[in-house]
Amino acid sequence: MAMETEPQFVPAVNPSSEYHLTKVIALPLMEKPLCPGFYFPTHVRDPKLLADLLENQYVGVFLLKDDTNPPPETLLKGKELLNRLHEIGSLAYISSIKGHQVIHITGLTRIRITEMVEEAPLTVKIDYLKNKPYDMDDGVIKDTFLEVSSVLRDVLKTSPVWRNHRLGDFMYPYLADFGSAMPCGTKHQAQQVLQELDVHKRLQLTLQLARKEMEIIKNESLGMERNHCVFSFLLPEVDEREPVLYEQTPVGVAMALSLTSTGGSTLYMETSLVEEGEAIGCLYLMGEVGEETNESANVAYIVAKKILLKKQPENTFFANSMLRLDLPRCNGRSAGCTMTTSLLSLAIKKPVRKNLAMTGTVTPSGKVLGIGGVKEKTIGARQSQVKTIIFPEANRRDFDQLPENVKEGLHVHFVDEYEQIFELAFGYDEEDYQIELRAEGDEYNLASYVGKPVLYEQTHVGVAMCLAMTSIGGLALYVKTNFDEEDEGDGCIHIIGSLGKEMTESVWMSNDLAIQILRKKNPENTFFADSLLSIYLPACSTSNDTSACSTIVTSLLSLAMNKPVRKDLAMSGTVTPNGKILGIGNVKEKTIGARRSQVKTIIFPEANRRDFDQLPENVKEGLHVHFVDEYEQIFDLAFGYDH
């Protein structure tokens, strides 16, 4: 029988391979089920069962159906135990076994018991369960997701159990599983969260439990008490701070030049030791990585072992160490050299040379192959104030063809063998290793290369500025409405731009709202009824990004009233048919985009006030920000000025 204990921190390590098991030992849980992505230590009382678990890497964990826990001396067996287990549970990875009774398990994926194979230990055949298909752009699902995120952030800030954890940027299914970990929930409510395969319904269950937990926390702050159930879940720590250059690179950390959805950037990869023991050498990956990155990590592990054997033949670190490699969200093979370097740094216990970033695909023989995105990665290095970079020899011509002002001041090394990277990363004298402080305010002359943002000297009638998320990050972009011709009684609007179905519908809704507002502000104005209009919309990060709705309404009203929008004003917000302003995403990127475009005044939804408040001061400095929850407030800000 498994008994959950008080929480202990053990790194969650996810095996990098897919799950192909058809049968597993069934481990009963008494307090709460274990959802994918969560982990906790649990006691196993049966010494024979513990011995069997020692020989396995995976185990199936299932909650007991009983409303009351059986006495400790009761050890259920075989069919009797099977009949008292919920058939839906989780495949778990046994990350470590401490002492004689405590094992640490990490939930991996949902499974269902199909039949019993053996009675002692109880072994069952399993099927793997998948979430039902869902649309991430569905408005109802998105709103529920945002509400769950908001309530959970409040819980994490105020609860003594959760206070030391941060809520990261999780996918919908993972966030929906948080309900199973709410202390206020019963074991059966937690099991209901685990069993629900409809992501939207699971989000709703989690929202109910999170709100209940928040209410209990508020009552406790007023002096009311509650009986705490045993809470044995821990959340993976997620650091939400801006990436910075280390003053001194820690052992096990290496910096990659990466191509992300917002352009080139530098990302850290870190290897850490999970456990040491004779001949237990293995590597587990942490992070949302694609198949190519997975394969590249396996190659990096092979190359690192070969290099270590050659450089330090007596070093048995890889053979006797269970390692965890933390990777940023990515897919591709160009981080192979960085992963190899991170692994070797920990193995030889020597930090990588400071201010060094690299990119390159590595082969099992140690060859370094060419990569793509040289221009973007070089600009990303400059933006991160990196001074020394490593590119594959195959990309020398790509780099040489870049403008001089992009290459200026960079120390670039071209390599075709990983051994050359090893010498560049670790071939320094310890006594002469000086830490170079990051230069503040170091500006690069990129304006002549990427161009300067342009603001209208005086905003034209029919023009409004939106803050949008594009493929190169946040930007301020103009939405423009033109008058084509007069057609009394047959007014209509023609949309120009590549839009998805949801965004197209939002334009029609914005047009209807503009008509309502104009009728309210100036009942005699029949502009919309008698005019053929064209509205020009910029290409944003997604053809279904509805955060430009407030800008569309403003552009339409500007033309209808023949009054320009206040100069130097940009906005972002989704609008409902009755004029409510809903929250949006990418507040950080859009704020940076406003600064990049030299915008001074911005409008955000009231729902995003907290997101803005949590930004670094140097990002917010000098900006005049208004938070609104009704379009009427935007109208007053945009047009309520004295000529």
Side-chain angles (χ1 to χ4, degrees):
M1 185 66 61
M3 295 284 292
E4 294 91 323
T5 66
E6 290 299 319
Q8 298 178 31
F9 176 75
V10 177
V13 287
N14 289 339
S16 57
S17 59
E18 295 183 1
Y19 318 119
H20 300 293
L21 298 173
T22 58
K23 60 181 182 178
V24 292
I25 293 175
L27 181 67
L29 300 177
M30 294 195 300
E31 298 291 346
K32 288 283 186 74
L34 177 67
C35 274
F38 293 85
Y39 56 97
F40 60 68
T42 182
H43 277 80
V44 177
R45 295 181 178 278
D46 187 344
K48 291 184 179 179
L49 175 58
L50 186 63
D52 289 322
L53 293 175
L54 281 168
E55 299 177 1
N56 289 272
Q57 195 174 20
Y58 300 93
V59 64
V61 290
F62 304 91
L63 183 69
L64 283 167
K65 298 177 182 177
D66 309 72
D67 290 326
T68 57
N69 295 328
E73 62 273 10
T74 301
L75 295 175
L76 301 176
K77 301 287 185 181
K79 290 184 178 179
E80 183 185 4
L81 174 58
L82 180 65
N83 292 334
R84 296 177 68 175
L85 294 178
H86 286 280
E87 67 173 10
I88 293 179
S90 292
L91 178 67
Y93 171 69
I94 303 174
S95 56
S96 64
I97 297 181
K98 303 291 185 182
H100 300 292
Q101 289 188 333
V102 181
I103 68 171
H104 297 273
I105 51 178
T106 303
L108 299 175
T109 187
R110 286 172 168 79
I111 56 175
R112 184 199 305 272
I113 296 174
T114 58
E115 62 179 284
M116 184 175 70
V117 179
E118 297 178 22
E119 289 199 6
L122 178 59
T123 305
V124 295
K125 284 188 177 181
I126 56 172
D127 282 339
Y128 293 91
L129 303 180
K130 294 184 178 180
N131 292 310
K132 294 180 180 179
Y134 65 96
D135 182 6
M136 289 182 62
D137 293 324
D138 180 271
V140 177
I141 296 179
K142 188 182 295 185
D143 289 346
T144 307
F145 173 79
L146 292 173
E147 181 65 18
V148 172
S149 300
S150 176
V151 177
L152 280 177
R153 289 182 192 278
D154 290 337
V155 171
L156 265 61
K157 284 182 178 179
T158 54
S159 169
V161 178
W162 300 65
R163 189 173 293 148
N164 294 326
H165 300 286
R166 299 184 181 91
L167 187 66
D169 184 16
F170 294 115
M171 300 296 288
Y172 286 31
Y174 185 85
L175 193 77
D177 285 335
F178 271 62
S180 67
M182 290 291 105
C184 67
T186 66
K187 59 188 291 186
H188 298 296
Q189 287 174 319
Q191 179 66 24
Q192 190 178 3
V193 172
L194 176 66
Q195 293 181 175
E196 183 56 69
L197 300 181
D198 185 308
V199 173
H200 181 225
K201 290 181 179 178
R202 199 155 80 233
L203 280 168
Q204 290 176 317
L205 291 172
T206 291
L207 181 58
Q208 293 172 8
L209 291 168
R211 284 173 172 167
K212 181 180 177 182
E213 179 67 18
M214 195 64 221
E215 188 65 30
I216 292 174
I217 293 171
K218 289 179 180 178
N219 290 337
E220 287 178 333
S221 68
L222 298 175
M224 300 174 64
E225 296 184 356
R226 65 164 162 171
N227 294 321
H228 287 275
C229 62
V230 178
F231 181 71
S232 302
F233 292 83
L234 288 176
L235 304 181
E237 294 277 1
V238 177
D239 194 344
E240 294 178 319
R241 295 172 297 178
E242 290 293 305
V244 296
L245 290 181
Y246 285 107
E247 288 300 322
Q248 179 170 355
T249 311
V251 169
V253 173
M255 184 165 36
L257 291 174
S258 179
L259 190 60
T260 70
S261 60
T262 59
S265 67
T266 54
L267 302 171
Y268 284 109
M269 299 184 177
E270 180 175 3
T271 305
S272 55
L273 178 66
V274 177
E275 189 173 348
E276 287 185 296
E278 188 173 353
I280 66 168
C282 59
L283 174 67
Y284 299 106
L285 302 184
M286 283 294 290
E288 294 184 29
V289 297
E291 183 178 347
E292 289 185 352
T293 303
N294 201 332
E295 294 174 359
S296 184
N298 290 329
V299 173
Y301 190 42
I302 293 170
V303 174
K305 288 191 285 188
K306 288 182 178 179
I307 295 291
L308 185 65
L309 181 62
K310 183 175 181 179
K311 300 292 183 181
Q312 298 181 4
E314 70 288 348
N315 191 329
T316 60
F317 178 80
F318 288 126
N320 300 325
S321 301
M322 182 185 294
L323 304 176
R324 155 182 163 168
L325 178 57
D326 289 273
L327 301 174
R329 186 180 302 175
C330 57
N331 187 29
R333 294 186 171 89
S334 66
C337 292
T338 314
M339 289 187 272
T340 305
T341 306
S342 171
L343 288 161
L344 284 167
S345 172
L346 189 64
I348 65 176
K349 294 180 173 56
K350 187 173 184 179
V352 176
R353 183 186 299 274
K354 181 183 180 289
N355 219 350
L356 173 68
M358 65 193 73
T359 181
T361 300
V362 65
T363 70
S365 62
K367 297 288 185 182
V368 178
L369 306 181
I371 46 83
V374 170
K375 178 183 70 176
E376 293 82 0
K377 291 177 180 179
T378 303
I379 294 174
R382 295 187 70 96
Q383 290 173 337
S384 299
Q385 301 182 4
V386 169
K387 303 295 186 183
T388 307
I389 57 180
I390 298 175
F391 278 130
E393 180 65 43
N395 294 108
R396 183 187 289 270
R397 180 178 298 175
D398 299 323
F399 181 83
D400 289 343
Q401 291 175 348
L402 296 180
E404 289 300 322
N405 59 345
V406 174
K407 299 184 290 184
E408 183 183 1
L410 290 175
H411 304 289
V412 185
H413 301 271
F414 297 96
V415 302
D416 49 20
E417 297 276 353
Y418 181 78
E419 285 212 35
Q420 297 168 271
I421 296 179
F422 184 90
E423 295 302 325
L424 290 167
F426 304 111
Y428 57 84
D429 190 332
E430 293 281 1
E431 295 181 0
D432 295 335
Y433 186 51
Q434 298 180 352
I435 308 304
E436 298 179 2
L437 295 178
R438 182 178 178 177
E440 296 185 3
D442 191 12
E443 296 182 357
Y444 302 107
N445 185 24
L446 293 178
S448 60
Y449 180 61
V450 299
K452 292 183 177 180
V454 178
L455 291 178
Y456 283 110
E457 287 299 321
Q458 172 62 52
T459 310
H460 297 177
V461 168
V463 173
M465 188 163 30
C466 71
L467 294 174
M469 184 64 186
T470 73
S471 60
I472 60 171
L475 285 178
L477 302 172
Y478 286 106
V479 172
K480 184 178 183 182
T481 305
N482 280 349
F483 172 76
D484 293 336
E485 60 180 291
E486 187 174 354
D487 191 355
E488 187 173 349
D490 287 320
C492 68
I493 185 170
H494 176 56
I495 303 171
I496 299 176
S498 178
L499 306 181
K501 179 181 177 182
E502 185 177 334
M503 185 58 190
T504 302
E505 293 174 352
S506 295
V507 173
W508 300 127
M509 184 271 295
S510 299
N511 185 48
D512 292 341
L513 180 61
I515 293 171
Q516 293 176 34
I517 292 174
L518 184 65
R519 188 179 297 131
K520 180 179 179 180
K521 299 291 184 182
N522 189 354
E524 296 80 22
N525 191 328
T526 60
F527 178 81
F528 288 124
D530 301 332
S531 303
L532 301 181
L533 308 176
S534 295
I535 185 164
Y536 295 80
L537 299 173
C540 296
S541 60
T542 169
S543 58
N544 273 326
D545 182 5
T546 60
S547 66
C549 288
S550 56
T551 315
I552 295 170
V553 177
T554 305
S555 171
L556 288 164
L557 287 170
S558 171
L559 189 63
M561 300 187 302
N562 194 31
K563 186 174 184 178
V565 176
R566 182 189 299 274
K567 181 181 180 293
D568 199 19
L569 174 68
M571 64 193 74
S572 183
T574 300
V575 182
T576 68
N578 60 357
K580 297 288 185 183
I581 305 296
L582 304 181
I584 45 89
N586 304 114
V587 170
K588 178 182 71 175
E589 291 81 0
K590 291 177 180 180
T591 303
I592 293 173
R595 297 188 68 92
R596 180 187 298 165
S597 302
Q598 301 176 5
V599 170
K600 301 297 184 185
T601 307
I602 58 181
I603 299 174
F604 278 137
E606 179 65 42
N608 294 107
R609 182 187 291 270
R610 182 179 300 156
D611 300 321
F612 181 83
D613 289 343
Q614 292 175 349
L615 296 180
E617 289 301 323
N618 61 341
V619 174
K620 299 184 290 184
E621 184 181 2
L623 291 175
H624 303 289
V625 185
H626 302 271
F627 298 96
V628 302
D629 48 21
E630 299 275 354
Y631 182 79
E632 288 270 355
Q633 297 167 272
I634 296 180
F635 184 92
D636 292 337
L637 290 167
F639 304 111
Y641 57 86
D642 190 342
H643 275 292

